Amino acid sequence: MMNDSPPRPARRAELLAAGAAAVTVVLWASAFVSIRSAGGAYSPGALALGRLLAGALTLGVICLVRRETWPPRSAWRGIAISGVLWFGFYMVALNWGEQQVDAGTAALVVNTGPILIALLGSRLLGDPMPPRLLAGMAVSFAGAVTVGLSMSGEGGSSVLGVVLCLLAAIAYAGGVVAQKPALGTANPLQVTTFGCLVGAVVCLPFAGQLVQEAARAPASATLNMVYLGVFPTALAFTTWAYALSRTTASRMGATTYAAPALVVLMSWLFLGEVPGPLTLAGGALCLAGVAVSRSRSARAKDQGTAVEPSPERTRDSAR
């Protein structure tokens, strides 16, 4: 009995982190449907600013209710960098890029993000690169490529759009890697709230466009923009930060490869876009790769230790 008790808290923490990651991926996948709706009425910068303002307001209320304090000074560098790159630049570049290229091409280019996260995480954070993680990412990327090719239309891409999506992927990777050290001293809610505020400040030059477009946008587009701020931003970025504080950036990046499969399913349910056999096969590969990347070898299980570095410090700071 005494030998069984120590792994239980670690197992519970692992399950909570996995649940938080699952919430994040589902909500980020749902953002695809909302962006498709809101993007017809709002320009890229205005949509990003409106989304960030809604997210910052939601997170601010939660912080007030919880009487959250300011992040420690040591966390501000990571918060500022992730706020500029991920919350600010990434959202504008992705919104703009998806207006220039078809959905399949956008998915192909943006899904280089987890690979860049793994490379940057290994180089800058010392993240381990176990064979299962590498194999899972390879399988998932093959699935993302399959989904992208199956969804790509003829003549739907432009050089500008591809460059914008690639810049978005680079900003996404840089933001995640910068956010990870900040979670060592600040809790997930602090990191997400102030990162969202930094992103909103970066997008303030689009305030005039937002006001003009909101005055003539249909209510459905505005509601979708608010949804993007409350759920895929405020909630999903917080659950992401919670899970990231308990695992490596590389493994969290690999988890997001489940998003293309969920996007295919949601597009089928809510947009009536019936996926073909190739799209379904690609989605299955994405999910299979995530399962492989998040699994642990029998040796690691026998040792009772996770592949990633010990998260005790980040768990204590997040309480």
Side-chain angles (χ1 to χ4, degrees):
M1 295 295 294
M2 292 183 63
N3 292 332
D4 293 337
S5 56
R8 289 177 183 172
R11 179 59 177 167
R12 180 174 179 273
E14 186 177 339
L15 291 174
L16 287 174
V23 170
T24 298
V25 172
V26 170
L27 289 178
W28 282 354
S30 75
F32 173 84
V33 178
S34 292
I35 290 174
R36 287 284 298 274
S37 176
Y42 288 96
S43 58
L47 178 57
L49 177 59
R51 174 179 179 175
L52 288 167
L53 289 176
L57 179 60
T58 303
L59 290 165
V61 170
I62 296 173
C63 285
L64 287 175
V65 171
R66 290 173 53 90
R67 298 182 179 179
E68 198 63 65
T69 60
W70 285 73
R73 182 179 299 179
S74 58
W76 270 104
R77 181 172 179 268
I79 291 173
I81 294 175
S82 65
V84 171
L85 291 179
W86 196 8
F87 287 88
F89 183 85
Y90 166 81
M91 290 191 182
V92 176
L94 183 61
N95 291 343
W96 190 5
E98 287 191 354
Q99 291 183 356
Q100 304 293 319
V101 302
D102 54 71
T105 302
L108 279 174
V109 179
V110 173
N111 272 301
T112 60
I115 297 175
L116 296 175
I117 290 173
L119 295 175
L120 289 174
S122 176
R123 176 73 174 175
L124 301 178
L125 303 178
D127 285 354
M129 298 284 284
R132 285 174 180 262
L133 174 61
L134 295 174
M137 291 183 69
V139 173
S140 289
F141 185 70
V145 170
T146 303
V147 171
L149 291 175
S150 68
M151 294 172 63
S152 295
E154 295 181 2
S157 302
S158 71
V159 174
L160 175 61
V162 172
V163 170
L164 287 168
C165 289
L166 180 59
L167 290 175
I170 295 172
Y172 160 46
V176 170
V177 174
Q179 190 184 67
K180 175 64 176 176
L183 290 165
T185 54
N187 67 47
L189 182 58
Q190 290 173 327
V191 171
T192 305
T193 300
F194 289 93
C196 189
L197 284 171
V198 170
V201 171
V202 170
C203 293
L204 279 179
F206 302 106
Q209 293 181 9
L210 177 60
V211 172
Q212 293 176 0
E213 293 168 7
R216 59 176 182 267
S220 59
T222 302
L223 287 175
N224 273 286
M225 182 174 65
V226 173
Y227 170 83
L228 286 168
V230 175
F231 293 99
T233 303
L235 178 57
F237 273 79
T238 302
T239 53
W240 164 277
Y242 175 88
L244 181 60
S245 69
R246 287 155 172 77
T247 187
T248 64
S250 302
R251 289 190 75 192
M252 278 302 293
T255 301
T256 61
Y257 272 123
L262 295 176
V263 167
V264 170
L265 177 61
M266 291 180 181
S267 297
W268 188 0
L269 294 176
F270 298 109
L271 300 178
E273 298 177 350
V274 181
L278 190 61
T279 304
L280 292 175
L285 279 176
C286 288
L287 294 176
V290 171
V292 172
S293 68
R294 293 197 63 87
S295 66
R296 283 163 40 182
S297 65
R299 180 181 178 184
K301 292 178 181 177
D302 291 340
Q303 292 175 342
T305 58
V307 174
E308 59 271 5
S310 177
E312 282 82 3
R313 182 183 178 190
T314 53
R315 274 206 299 271
D316 290 341
S317 64
R319 288 174 181 169

